[in-house]
Amino acid sequence: MLCSEITLAVQQEVGKTFKGVGKHQKGLHADEGASTSTSEMVKKSSLLPRDSRPVGLQSKVEDIVGLLEDPEVQVIAVVGMGGSGKTFLLQNVYKAAKSKYDHCIWLSISKSYTLKNLQDDIASHIGVNSKSVSEERAAELSHDHLQGNRSFIVLDDLWTLSTENSLIDKLGLPADKDCKIVVTTRNRQVALNSNAQIYEMQNLLDEDSWMLFCIYAFPNSAGNRAPQHMEEEGRKIGKQCGNLPLAIKTIAASLANTTLKNWEWKRSQLERVVTPTGDDDPVMEILKLSYDSLPAHLKPCFAYLSFFPEDEKIEAEYLINLWIAEGFIPAGEDQWDLAWYWLDQLDKLCMLQVYEKDDDIFIKYCKIHDLLHDLGIHLSREDVFTYK
């Protein structure tokens, strides 16, 4: 059975199981399309609490803000490897620049996006009803409303070459100096097709890489300081991760509260899967090592996240109900508390992202990075437990 078919079956069957149980147990949000505007996310708490101290980011934020203020630049393309922090950079740019614009709109472009969903997202943000009109009319409505207003539009994670060339026009985004558009992509050709000012997303410097590593490897120590005898090994691990933030975070989190011997063993694993002269993207192999380090009881809980559509905002209580229904959580009086604890563990291990917290304490909604989503799909196809 194809993964998309399985996803649909899970949504339909489990949605029936929990229908009417409570406001937090109502099933996947049918009114949220495959591509969802994240303007609301950025205004709220879309970042992991430990990322409240961004590392090696300030100069990059200033670079992008400078390009936004250049009257000769309308479209900016942030190009970089998966896991290099492109989305996180733009979230911080968004926060820094949004007060200067009349409209700020964030669109997450999933691999299976539809033009109409994106148009409806824009229309909803600017107060226009486009749901009952054609794509052409929706583009006209957005264009007429945005024309003459200072607008900041983020198109996060553009992929294919077939549509991005004309996507900006099809969305009805004005081609003038008042409308600033920033796209993120792993594909340089997509940026070239968009006639954009290209901004190369550089990997972290060695010192910034080490600082980020320590934040996740020593979350409870004063100043996130590493013991002196572990520093050399930790710096080597950061370099083995290619100084890529996502790889560093997941590996460092898996090594928290472990010994130097564990660190040496992890580095030897990294040396086997990451070849310095290889052409392949090393991030997926590194993420697979992080998955392999998960306790056995967390592996099916993580893989189950792949059943949700890419970029989906996942309601935490509903997810926990699904885990319980699937039998992932041992029965008992403390089943509910145990499930919440496991969810928190996946967060601490950087295998999911906090989307929103309730009173800044409890996870209310979560997401999964698209690379981890891809990993989950791969694992789900291999492991029988996910289909039971």
Side-chain angles (χ1 to χ4, degrees), residues 148-333:
N149 290 298
R150 286 178 56 80
S151 304
F152 176 30
I153 317 293
V154 175
L155 305 178
D156 187 32
D157 206 13
L158 296 183
W159 272 82
T160 63
L161 299 175
S162 59
T163 58
E164 274 63 23
N165 191 26
S166 58
L167 178 60
I168 291 173
D169 292 333
K170 289 181 179 180
L171 290 175
L173 304 182
D176 59 43
K177 63 180 182 180
D178 290 323
C179 183
K180 299 293 185 176
I181 301 165
V182 184
V183 304
T184 68
T185 183
R186 305 175 203 175
N187 192 325
R188 171 177 286 274
Q189 191 59 49
V190 168
L192 294 173
N193 284 8
S194 301
N195 297 317
Q197 173 71 47
I198 295 178
Y199 181 84
E200 297 283 355
M201 187 69 184
Q202 301 297 324
N203 294 345
L204 294 174
L205 300 175
D206 288 349
E207 284 303 313
D208 291 331
S209 175
W210 172 239
M211 186 182 302
L212 183 65
F213 184 94
C214 289
I215 289 173
Y216 288 86
F218 304 101
N220 301 318
S221 67
N224 304 116
R225 292 189 179 89
Q228 189 172 359
H229 71 284
M230 302 182 83
E231 181 171 342
E232 180 181 358
E233 195 66 28
R235 287 180 179 273
K236 290 178 181 178
I237 292 173
K239 289 184 179 180
Q240 284 295 132
C241 290
N243 288 355
L244 290 168
L246 180 62
I248 291 170
K249 289 191 293 187
T250 57
I251 289 295
S254 73
L255 292 172
N257 303 313
T258 61
T259 65
L260 180 60
K261 185 175 181 180
N262 290 103
W263 287 34
E264 292 170 343
W265 179 70
K266 183 69 72 175
R267 182 167 65 86
S268 69
Q269 288 185 306
L270 286 167
E271 289 174 348
R272 285 198 297 270
V273 301
V274 179
T275 54
T277 58
D279 296 326
D280 294 334
D281 186 341
V283 180
M284 289 302 291
E285 291 298 328
I286 296 172
L287 295 180
K288 179 61 166 58
L289 285 181
S290 298
Y291 168 81
D292 290 340
S293 299
L294 289 177
H297 60 271
L298 290 182
K299 289 182 177 179
C301 296
F302 166 77
Y304 198 79
L305 293 169
S306 66
F307 282 141
F308 290 86
E310 185 183 356
D311 292 318
E312 176 81 2
K313 181 178 77 171
I314 304 170
E315 193 172 21
E317 287 195 28
Y318 176 63
L319 174 62
I320 284 174
N321 275 319
L322 294 180
W323 285 351
I324 291 173
E326 291 288 347
F328 296 159
I329 315 298
E333 292 182 2

Side-chain angles (χ1 to χ4, degrees), residues 65 73 123 232 290 313 321 351 364 385:
V65 171
V73 175
E232 180 181 358
S290 298
K313 181 178 77 171
N321 275 319
M351 300 302 284
K364 187 174 183 181
F385 67 77

Side-chain angles (χ1 to χ4, degrees), residues 3 6 63 82 102 174 184 254 327 329 332 350 352 388:
C3 188
I6 298 170
D63 289 343
D102 301 313
T184 68
S254 73
I329 315 298
C350 301
L352 57 78
K388 290 181 179 179

